[in-house]
Amino acid sequence: MLNIGDIIIAIQLKWRNDKDLTDDEQKEVKWLGKQCKEAKKQIKDSISFIQSGKLPAFENRRNMNIKLDESAKIVPLIIFMNEN
């Protein structure tokens, strides 16, 4: 997550394990479809958790406690990393 005051960017990162890389286009499309579905569910869960107000405060490197504002605008961002 990236907290920019009244905006929170909820980030979900998906990548393909090196051992599972393939040049088979059908397998790549299947992988992408599965990852899209999973990422969408995970980002929705993250947003719901933030909006619930139950997310505990975080301590940053400056020893400051940061509490996310559950009324902030939340922007979902899903990033896919795949060499193919």
Side-chain angles (χ1 to χ4, degrees), residues 1 3 6-7 11 15 17 19 25 35 41 44-45 47 49-53 57 66 70 75 82-83:
M1 280 181 256
N3 183 14
D6 58 348
I7 297 174
I11 302 169
W15 71 89
N17 293 328
K19 67 178 182 140
E25 188 174 332
Q35 294 304 310
K41 180 189 179 318
K44 281 183 170 184
D45 290 347
I47 290 170
F49 194 45
I50 294 167
Q51 291 174 333
S52 75
I66 308 296
E70 61 265 12
V75 178
N82 186 351
E83 298 298 323

Side-chain angles (χ1 to χ4, degrees), residues 27-39 80:
K27 288 182 181 180
E28 289 300 302
V29 170
K30 185 178 178 181
W31 174 85
L32 183 59
K34 180 181 175 187
Q35 294 304 310
C36 285
K37 185 177 180 180
E38 186 177 316
F80 291 92

Side-chain angles (χ1 to χ4, degrees), residues 21-80:
L21 289 177
T22 179
D23 290 327
D24 184 328
E25 188 174 332
Q26 277 188 311
K27 288 182 181 180
E28 289 300 302
V29 170
K30 185 178 178 181
W31 174 85
L32 183 59
K34 180 181 175 187
Q35 294 304 310
C36 285
K37 185 177 180 180
E38 186 177 316
K40 185 176 176 181
K41 180 189 179 318
Q42 290 171 327
I43 203 84
K44 281 183 170 184
D45 290 347
S46 295
I47 290 170
S48 294
F49 194 45
I50 294 167
Q51 291 174 333
S52 75
K54 296 177 184 175
L55 189 66
F58 297 93
E59 187 174 308
N60 68 12
R61 289 186 175 183
R62 295 181 181 167
N63 296 322
M64 296 172 54
N65 282 327
I66 308 296
K67 174 83 172 132
L68 297 180
D69 180 4
E70 61 265 12
S71 65
K73 178 178 179 177
I74 302 172
V75 178
L77 175 63
I78 299 172
I79 300 171
F80 291 92

